[in-house]
Amino acid sequence: MPLLTIRLPQEATLEAALRELKLTADDVDTAYGLVAVDPANGLYALRVTDAAAARMTTAGPGVEVFADPRIEPGNGSIDPKPRT
């Protein structure tokens, strides 16, 4: 799911973000929720569906969409046995 940032008033809620972005609960990862990135400056993040992200690219100033790739260890990248 893409990640987007939005400028909202301090103490913003997920419901406030949904209203501002004209999204529904089905458009976002509600388990991820609204994350305060820099609440003093009103910067918040939430994960949205691909379709919602496509709509947000024209949402205007204050909304930015980013990739949120899954990060996993690669094969052989971790040595399971500690060296002595």
Side-chain angles (χ1 to χ4, degrees):
M1 294 182 95
L3 183 69
L4 69 81
T5 59
I6 181 173
R7 298 278 177 181
L8 295 168
Q10 289 183 358
E11 308 293 323
T13 63
L14 179 58
E15 292 76 22
L18 294 177
R19 278 193 306 276
E20 180 72 23
L21 295 167
K22 297 176 178 61
L23 296 174
T24 68
D26 291 335
D27 292 320
V28 302
D29 181 347
T30 55
Y32 186 85
L34 184 67
V35 177
V37 176
D38 185 355
N41 288 309
L43 184 63
Y44 295 85
L46 68 155
R47 293 177 69 198
V48 297
T49 63
D50 291 332
R55 293 193 310 272
M56 293 300 103
T57 59
T58 60
V63 177
E64 293 185 72
V65 178
F66 300 91
D68 188 20
R70 179 181 291 261
I71 299 173
E72 297 178 359
N75 290 337
S77 64
I78 298 175
D79 185 355
K81 295 181 183 179
R83 297 179 187 193
T84 57

